[in-house]
Amino acid sequence: MLLIAAIGTAVYCVAMFAPAYLDNIDVTDAVVSAYNQSGTRPNEQILQDLKDKLKRIGTHRELNADGDLEEVMGLGAADEDVSFEQLPDNSVVVEVRYVREVRLKPTGRWTKLRFSTKKAGTPAGLK
């Protein structure tokens, strides 16, 4: 009986949380892509492209004109939570921090998952 409960809990967790973690894989790909473009394009353009990609990954909740929360496209990461920095030694740090809200069923309660994706080092294009 305990095994059945454990399997049921595992299936529930996968069904509820997998989309958020799968979206984090897409965020990781976007961060690595920005890192790899270092030295080939202006840093401001790379940062803007990264922010544009993040607007097409996942969903978040925002207040609409009526003051109600609605689900909209994108991560909703603030500008200060998306960074691209090239240091004097040509090393690069790309980082994205964001929070995903997941609605738990059947209670309808919301829970927050915090993610931080970072890539640092000296890309091949800057060595």
Side-chain angles (χ1 to χ4, degrees):
M1 186 62 131
L2 185 60
L3 179 62
I4 294 172
I7 292 172
T9 301
V11 169
Y12 174 82
C13 287
V14 168
M16 290 292 101
F17 298 111
Y21 284 96
L22 291 173
D23 286 342
N24 191 53
I25 292 171
D26 292 336
V27 172
T28 301
D29 288 344
V31 166
V32 170
S33 175
Y35 173 86
N36 288 334
Q37 292 177 27
S38 303
T40 62
R41 299 173 51 213
N43 292 347
E44 298 79 22
Q45 187 178 15
I46 295 171
L47 179 60
Q48 188 58 50
D49 288 349
L50 175 60
K51 289 178 181 179
D52 290 343
K53 285 180 185 177
L54 297 178
K55 291 177 184 175
R56 296 187 302 269
I57 298 173
T59 60
H60 69 284
R61 296 189 305 160
E62 283 184 359
L63 288 174
N64 63 16
D66 299 329
D68 298 324
L69 284 173
E70 68 178 354
E71 198 166 2
V72 295
M73 190 73 173
L75 293 178
D79 282 343
E80 61 269 8
D81 293 331
V82 180
S83 65
F84 180 96
E85 185 178 6
Q86 184 172 347
L87 304 173
D89 65 352
N90 277 342
S91 63
V92 173
V93 179
V94 184
E95 184 173 16
V96 176
R97 293 177 309 281
Y98 64 100
V99 175
R100 282 293 301 268
E101 292 182 310
V102 176
R103 188 175 193 154
L104 302 176
K105 296 176 184 170
T107 64
R109 185 175 153 257
W110 290 87
T111 188
K112 293 181 179 184
L113 302 173
R114 290 171 178 27
F115 292 94
S116 179
T117 303
K118 182 177 183 177
K119 176 81 174 160
T122 305
L126 293 176
K127 289 184 179 179

